[in-house]
Every structure is written in structure tokens, then in C-alpha cells.
Amino acid sequence: MKSPSTTFGKTNSLEVGDLVSWSGFFSQHIGLVQKLIERPIGGRNVAYAVVFSLREEKLLEILCINLKKMQFPEFTSSEN
């Protein structure tokens, strides 16, 4: 069955500046999204993110499907 999508992975859930995490071999990584790109590979586009790794302090290209956007609880001010 052929997929109706022409892109492997999605970039619409990520934005430049998002804090993201991904798993490596025996470790967890955290970084900031610098750029979102799509590359033609194997007849379809593949979604990548250029991420600044906070651990390695360098830019890495990571498949978007491997990234998880980190969520923070919304802070609400209580007015009395």
C-alpha cells in the first residue's frame, strides 16, 4: 500500500527555536531547532531538523520523526 503523503516525517509540528529531545545509544539528548529542511531521498522528501545539541555544543541533522518537542506547563498568575 502506497502512502498518500509525499514527505516522510512532518515539520509542521516543529518550529525554529523549539526545545526538542531525542534518544541516542544509551543516552538522551536535548537541543534547539535551528532550521527545518526536506531532502529528496529514495523518491520522496524526508523531513530533517538542524538542531543545536546542548550536550555536544554543535549542529546536528536529525530526522524529524525522531524528535520530541518538549512541553512546559503553562504558568498562570493567580490574582486575589
Side-chain angles (χ1 to χ4, degrees):
M1 184 171 144
K2 190 172 183 177
S3 173
S5 173
T6 59
T7 302
F8 179 74
K10 303 264 185 219
T11 59
N12 58 358
S13 63
L14 296 172
E15 295 180 14
V16 172
D18 282 345
L19 188 62
V20 293
S21 66
W22 68 98
S23 295
F25 291 111
F26 309 110
S27 61
Q28 191 73 10
H29 301 276
I30 296 174
L32 292 168
V33 175
Q34 298 283 316
K35 182 170 40 168
L36 298 167
I37 55 177
E38 291 183 1
R39 291 210 169 126
I41 297 176
R44 69 190 304 189
N45 288 332
V46 178
Y48 285 91
V50 176
V51 178
F52 180 77
S53 171
L54 298 177
R55 173 179 284 179
E56 299 176 27
E57 296 184 355
K58 65 180 182 179
L59 292 175
L60 304 171
E61 279 190 15
I62 310 289
L63 285 169
C64 286
I65 201 164
N66 292 332
L67 295 175
K68 182 178 179 185
K69 187 174 178 179
M70 297 184 70
Q71 301 291 327
F72 297 97
E74 291 188 31
F75 296 101
T76 58
S77 62
S78 59
E79 296 181 27
N80 292 338

